[in-house]
Amino acid sequence: MPLDHSPSPVAPTESSPLWTSGAAAILAVVIMLILAAVRPDMAVWLVGGAVVVAGAAWAGAKRPAVKINPAFAPSLASELSAPKRSFDLALLDHVFEALNEPILIISGGEADDLAGRRIVMANAAARELLKAPREGGLLVTFVRDPGVLEAVDEALFGGVASTTEYGARERHWRAWVQPLKGEGSGPLAILGLRDETDVRRMELMRVDFLANASHELRTPLASLSGFIETLKGHAKEDPVARDRFLDIMSAQADRMSRLVADLLSLSRIELNEHIPPSGRVDLGRAAADVVDAVSVLSRDKGVTVELKVSVDRVSIDGDRDEIVQVIQNLTDNAIKYSSSGQTVEIVVDTDLALDAAPGARREGATRLSLVTPDREAGVRYAAVRVRDHGPGMAREHLPRLTERFYRVEGQKSGGERPGTGLGLAIVKHIVNRHKGGLSVESAPGDGASFCAYFPLAIRTDARSEAG
């Protein structure tokens, strides 16, 4: 068999390491440790990857390099001779910069010398938060929290990983620190900050919700308990007192029933808030049904409810029961805060631009957007506006109107059926689900006007309309 004298695609050369320095390997390990801290569910795989990278670096430094013979295949030679992209130092630096969480690499001097804690590297998020330089700044200049500084010292000089809380400018952060080991360098540590502001805010809202809900239930329960004791005692033989106490007990039981119903409704709406509605609703017909439903309440209070619909049919995509609930909650509030002889106005309008949906601004009134939809090109809106002529509200109360159980201090509904404080919270979540908006306009002594607006139906077809 004739010998093959074709040129070999590779040829041995003098020994040269895969990397001229270990910087790329160290940075690769750092990136993987950062990702392991950010994604605990992938920590095992990422730490394993860090070990593999470190092993590859050591083996590559010992292995003789090869040189591709250009005579064999120039394209193959240039491709195989190119640096390994997965360990490109510039690429890893871009990854470090692109991380959303603030990350700093800290070097340590002497254990008792705070001036020795210097920033070796800080990514863009850390520089923006702490106003620190990319490298070379003193850590204590930009992070003064004793707990964080102590955690850094433990990592630098004790090799201990830890987490602690860090607060800055009304924001809450979870600081985590990991020791780093590098050959030929002093002690190093990596410091990361995870933003937990939203988590903390949700915890506070949950605590407030439980406290308010228990308070709202405790009051009627205490009233019922007191009247039961009275009826079992000296009022047992007094028919007039017995009937009066039973009427009060019935009202308190009704109040608890409405509170529980509103809590369940709010929970259900929040659960489905991310699911787009699939029905079709005639907004004008839904408003007319609400006027019929509140006719007894409005007649008892001596309040007139007027409905004005601009066109015969105003179609939106939505859940009919929820749209009716929005209009009814707004109308109930308007009636409760109106005096006898006053008028509540409900106006349904259509084919409105986003900026025009809340209607014309009243002179001297303050307007605030409580829910603002995403601005999308070509989307038109239908709006339902409910206005009363009651006491109105000062501007400082407007931002909190959709909070659960929030009531304007000193404002009385004047009715026998006080609200639960959840009506506007329910409205907000329903409007969010329908990708609509909610605004309020009010002035003390000049009543309040609420506007809920929803995107018009995408197409008009022969489907039967729910409403």
Side-chain angles (χ1 to χ4, degrees), residues 144-154 162-165 175 177:
R144 298 183 177 89
D145 187 277
V148 176
L149 295 175
E150 182 178 353
V152 170
D153 280 354
E154 290 178 352
S162 60
T163 61
T164 185
E165 294 184 358
V177 188

Side-chain angles (χ1 to χ4, degrees), residues 297-341:
L297 176 63
S298 61
R299 184 172 61 249
D300 291 344
K301 286 209 63 178
V303 176
T304 302
V305 179
E306 294 183 353
L307 173 62
K308 300 177 182 177
V309 183
S310 60
V311 295
D312 291 338
R313 187 175 295 277
V314 183
S315 295
I316 63 172
D317 291 323
D319 183 304
R320 187 181 190 281
D321 290 339
E322 291 187 353
I323 297 299
V324 168
Q325 190 170 14
V326 166
I327 303 173
Q328 180 147 359
N329 285 2
L330 296 178
T331 306
D332 278 346
N333 283 345
I335 294 174
K336 288 173 187 175
Y337 292 101
S338 296
S339 301
S340 178

Side-chain angles (χ1 to χ4, degrees), residues 81-146:
S81 299
K84 294 293 185 181
R85 292 185 177 85
S86 59
F87 301 121
D88 191 294
L89 183 59
L91 175 61
L92 293 176
D93 183 67
H94 290 320
V95 172
F96 182 72
E97 282 289 296
L99 292 174
N100 289 328
E101 292 189 353
I103 304 293
L104 304 96
I105 298 176
I106 311 299
S107 65
E110 299 296 331
D112 57 350
D113 180 17
L114 289 178
R117 319 297 188 271
R118 289 190 171 271
I119 299 173
V120 176
M121 191 183 306
N123 70 348
R127 298 196 299 272
E128 180 180 358
L129 174 67
L130 303 174
K131 309 304 178 187
R134 177 177 170 82
E135 57 186 31
L138 292 176
L139 178 63
V140 72
T141 304
F142 306 100
V143 178
R144 298 183 177 89
D145 187 277

